[in-house]
Amino acid sequence: MGVFTVLTRCIVQPLSVVDDELVPKVGKTFTTLEDAEKFYRNYAKAAGFSTRVRCTNRKENEIKNQLITCSREGKWKSKISPTEKTNPTAGLNCPARIYIHTLKDVGAWIISKVVLDHSHPYCPSKAEMLKQHRELSMSIHRTIENNEEADSFDRNWNDFLLNFGLADNKWLSDLYEDRHIWVPIYLDHHFWAGMRSTQRSESMHSFFNKYITRNSSLIQFVKQYDNCLGSREQAERESDAANFHTVIPCATKSSIEAQFQDAYTHAKFREVQAQFRGKANCITRLKNSALGYSIYEVGEQVSSSIFNKFAVTYDSVAAEVKCQCLLFESRGILCRHALSVLSFEQVSQVSPRYILERWSKKVKRRHTHIKSSHDEPIMEPRSKRFEQLVFRSQNICKFASESEELTAILHRAYDNVMAEMEALKAKRKGTYSLSHEDANLESVNELQSPPRIRTRGRPKNRLGSKLEKQIANATKKKKTKVLSEINLFDAASAAHSNSSQYQGHVMNYQFRVPAAGDNSLGV
């Protein structure tokens, strides 16, 4: 009896937090059976339990009614002795269920019986751990599909060898070992941003090896991981400062190169510059042209005996250029052959599609929303808002991707919301914007003095240096006054008075002993 009381107390609280619209009620109707099943499943997720179809009655291959219960309904009797049974069991004879059936001559479905009580505790926060409510987001699902399409080369290669009995062929085995040389040729039409197959993991290993080893403890790993984030953030801040305050000179007089110089970071602009320098070795010849669409043949002098040729197409209406080498499609950089054609066509500016945002100086990095102890406290509310927006956006995008009509509605809503937010941001910026002088003063106030370090050797400003200079000056004046007394006997009394005053000052200096740490000398 006491156990039942405890269980009852555990299950009363979750029901109070479930939205009343989600709670099943007798008489609620649905258009299809799938809608009824989905409704009860959503209620179960909100309450913290899972469901299953207990039984379905049919008549002439048509479903007439269905019983959906809690997944912990029933109790399976094991043949294994309770003392030997170790596997957990879920059945607890839970009575929670709904009963639905069709309405005659209507085609709709109605709930005719509802039981909301359970014989076990359940928690809404743990519902996502139940098998029925586990699901991958659309972004994660797409990532898995892309990775599966990329692990596929090895599978197809093995199938090819087995189907044709070539598993022992030495030439094919050697060709497979050298696949890193020839496989990229068949992947040029995919965008890889210049990365190799293992470059990401190699870069990660070399970066983390500076902070942790295989013998590092878990506590050391957590601390050093935070230091890694701080080091990477600091490096990016320094790189951003260098991009803002310095400029890499252009290698040519091309206005297109100046366009990339203004948009790209230093690291990526150096890669672009290599293509502009190589443009000097290209020879462009027009092969065919019609209605703004031209086909060029670009020859490149690789060596004294090798001369490669590439076909380049240029559409002056769409401002689009495409080369046979597919360098832009694979690495995101316009090749020297395309640049040679643009120069031949006297194009001064390239289309924005050829300036990728990922390498722009003004790019907004998504990873800056990752929490770190090095972040300023003012950024924490923004990170929370970002996480909430991403969570809601994933659900909206998943729902809208079901059809073209829903996708078009979401696009229109995005455009309207974006215009409204930009207008509000521009209005606030004009009202609360700081002047250049205010910004500088604020930044100056945040600066702190560098730590004072004791220098080696004799200090420039010693405590006795001022005293030594005063004594030297007094001695020089004394010699001058002695000569004056010999030459000017009439002024002896005046000289004697001045000499007495001077000697009094000297005596004061001589008996003045500075205290420890006292830098001032009084008279």
Side-chain angles (χ1 to χ4, degrees):
M1 185 65 180
V3 176
F4 179 78
T5 304
V6 173
L7 293 177
T8 304
R9 290 176 181 175
C10 292
I11 64 177
V12 170
Q13 185 177 1
L15 290 176
S16 61
V17 298
V18 178
D19 192 350
D20 187 65
E21 296 181 357
L22 296 178
V23 179
K25 299 179 179 65
V26 175
K28 187 174 181 60
T29 59
F30 305 92
T31 305
T32 62
L33 177 62
E34 290 76 14
D35 293 340
E37 294 175 348
K38 184 177 180 181
F39 172 80
Y40 193 53
R41 189 164 55 248
N42 292 336
Y43 162 72
K45 183 177 182 180
F49 67 97
S50 58
T51 65
R52 67 175 178 179
V53 177
R54 183 66 177 84
C55 63
T56 302
N57 295 327
R58 301 173 182 269
K59 185 177 182 180
E60 297 179 357
N61 295 328
E62 292 184 2
I63 299 177
K64 295 300 182 180
N65 54 64
Q66 191 173 82
L67 176 64
I68 307 177
T69 66
C70 173
S71 60
R72 305 190 72 171
E73 180 267 344
K75 191 170 183 178
W76 180 69
K77 294 182 179 180
S78 176
K79 297 180 181 180
I80 303 176
S81 173
T83 58
E84 299 177 358
K85 181 176 174 59
T86 58
N87 294 334
T89 181
L92 287 175
N93 290 326
C94 182
R97 63 191 61 201
I98 64 170
Y99 184 81
I100 53 179
H101 67 272
T102 58
L103 292 174
K104 295 181 179 179
D105 302 329
V106 177
W109 294 80
I110 187 172
I111 298 179
S112 59
K113 183 179 180 180
V114 176
V115 179
L116 299 179
D117 296 333
H118 292 260
S119 63
H120 56 87
Y122 51 94
C123 182
S125 61
K126 298 180 180 179
E128 61 182 8
M129 303 304 297
L130 298 174
K131 184 177 181 180
Q132 184 183 47
H133 303 310
R134 293 178 184 175
E135 59 180 356
L136 296 177
S137 63
M138 184 66 71
S139 59
I140 297 178
H141 188 71
R142 284 297 305 151
T143 301
I144 295 176
E145 289 181 350
N146 293 335
N147 293 339
E148 180 65 20
E149 292 175 2
D151 304 337
S152 61
F153 171 79
D154 291 336
R155 183 173 61 252
N156 294 338
W157 180 269
N158 293 331
D159 293 341
F160 164 73
L161 296 180
L162 293 176
N163 293 336
F164 293 94
L166 299 173
D168 298 330
N169 189 288
K170 186 177 183 305
W171 181 79
L172 289 176
S173 300
D174 295 340
L175 189 65
Y176 180 77
E177 292 297 328
D178 297 333
R179 62 188 181 279
H180 64 280
I181 300 176
W182 54 270
V183 167
I185 299 176
Y186 297 93
L187 302 176
D188 284 344
H189 58 287
H190 294 290
F191 180 68
W192 299 102
M195 294 187 296
R196 302 190 304 273
S197 59
T198 61
Q199 182 180 8
R200 183 175 182 180
S201 59
E202 292 172 359
S203 176
M204 243 184 228
H205 294 163
S206 62
F207 178 72
F208 281 105
N209 286 340
K210 302 175 184 177
Y211 299 90
I212 58 177
T213 63
R214 65 178 64 183
N215 298 324
S216 299
S217 63
L218 181 60
I219 297 178
Q220 291 174 337
F221 171 78
V222 174
K223 293 181 178 179
Q224 290 298 88
Y225 177 78
D226 197 58
N227 293 334
C228 289
L229 289 181
S231 175
R232 179 59 63 90
E233 291 175 3
Q234 180 63 22
E236 291 189 355
R237 292 192 192 99
E238 294 175 358
S239 177
D240 291 341
N243 293 329
F244 182 78
H245 294 288
T246 60
V247 176
I248 297 180
C250 293
T252 64
K253 296 181 180 181
S254 171
S255 58
I256 298 179
E257 184 182 5
Q259 185 181 4
F260 283 105
Q261 178 197 44
D262 181 65
Y264 275 176
T265 61
H266 288 358
K268 185 53 58 175
F269 180 62
R270 289 189 179 94
E271 298 183 25
V272 176
Q273 267 193 333
Q275 301 301 322
F276 277 94
R277 291 191 177 97
K279 187 182 68 171
N281 299 327
C282 297
I283 301 176
T284 305
R285 184 170 65 89
L286 179 62
K287 293 187 64 177
N288 192 6
S289 178
L291 298 176
Y293 187 82
S294 305
I295 301 178
Y296 290 87
E297 182 183 78
V298 180
E300 181 181 5
Q301 188 75 32
V302 180
S303 64
S304 58
S305 58
I306 300 178
F307 192 82
N308 295 333
K309 294 182 180 180
F310 300 90
V312 181
T313 59
Y314 177 70
D315 187 351
S316 59
V317 178
E320 183 178 2
V321 61
K322 187 173 183 179
C323 180
Q324 186 182 7
C325 71
L326 299 177
L327 182 65
F328 179 78
E329 286 74 10
S330 60
R331 294 181 55 187
I333 300 176
L334 282 177
C335 64
R336 60 196 68 187
H337 321 116
L339 293 174
S340 179
V341 171
L342 293 177
S343 178
F344 188 88
E345 289 280 349
Q346 297 182 354
V347 177
S348 59
Q349 297 286 317
V350 295
S351 174
R353 71 166 65 97
Y354 298 111
I355 301 179
L356 303 187
E357 186 182 5
R358 64 185 300 132
W359 296 313
S360 174
K361 296 178 182 178
K362 301 178 182 179
V363 66
K364 294 181 180 179
R365 301 182 180 89
R366 291 181 296 175
H367 67 80
T368 54
H369 297 285
I370 299 176
K371 297 179 181 178
S372 171
S373 63
H374 301 274
D375 296 337
E376 299 178 3
I378 195 173
M379 293 299 293
E380 292 182 359
R382 181 181 180 184
S383 299
K384 294 179 181 178
R385 293 193 297 268
F386 177 80
E387 292 178 357
Q388 294 173 355
L389 291 172
V390 169
F391 178 76
R392 295 201 63 182
S393 299
Q394 287 182 349
N395 295 333
I396 294 174
C397 293
K398 181 178 179 181
F399 181 79
S401 61
E402 295 179 358
S403 65
E404 291 291 341
E405 294 78 6
L406 294 177
T407 303
I409 294 174
L410 184 59
H411 278 303
R412 290 195 297 269
Y414 275 150
D415 295 337
N416 296 333
V417 172
M418 193 65 187
E420 183 179 356
M421 290 190 300
E422 289 177 348
L424 178 61
K425 187 175 181 180
K427 181 179 179 181
R428 290 183 175 180
K429 185 177 181 181
T431 306
Y432 300 103
S433 61
L434 294 175
S435 63
H436 180 68
E437 291 76 11
D438 295 337
N440 287 339
L441 289 175
E442 183 180 357
S443 61
V444 169
N445 292 332
E446 294 178 355
L447 296 177
Q448 298 180 358
S449 301
R452 298 185 64 180
I453 301 177
R454 186 176 181 180
T455 58
R456 295 182 178 181
R458 177 184 177 185
K460 296 182 178 180
N461 296 325
R462 296 186 299 118
L463 293 177
S465 60
K466 184 176 181 180
L467 177 61
E468 292 174 355
K469 291 180 180 179
Q470 292 177 345
I471 293 176
N473 293 336
T475 305
K476 185 177 181 181
K477 291 180 180 180
K478 183 177 180 180
K479 294 180 179 179
T480 305
K481 291 184 180 296
V482 170
L483 294 176
S484 299
E485 290 176 353
I486 297 174
N487 298 328
L488 301 174
F489 181 77
D490 295 337
S493 58
H496 179 70
S497 177
N498 292 335
S499 177
S500 299
Q501 293 178 2
Y502 158 74
Q503 290 177 358
H505 286 294
V506 173
M507 292 298 292
N508 287 337
Y509 281 119
Q510 291 176 346
F511 285 96
R512 175 72 169 92
V513 179
D518 187 7
N519 293 332
S520 61
L521 292 174
V523 178

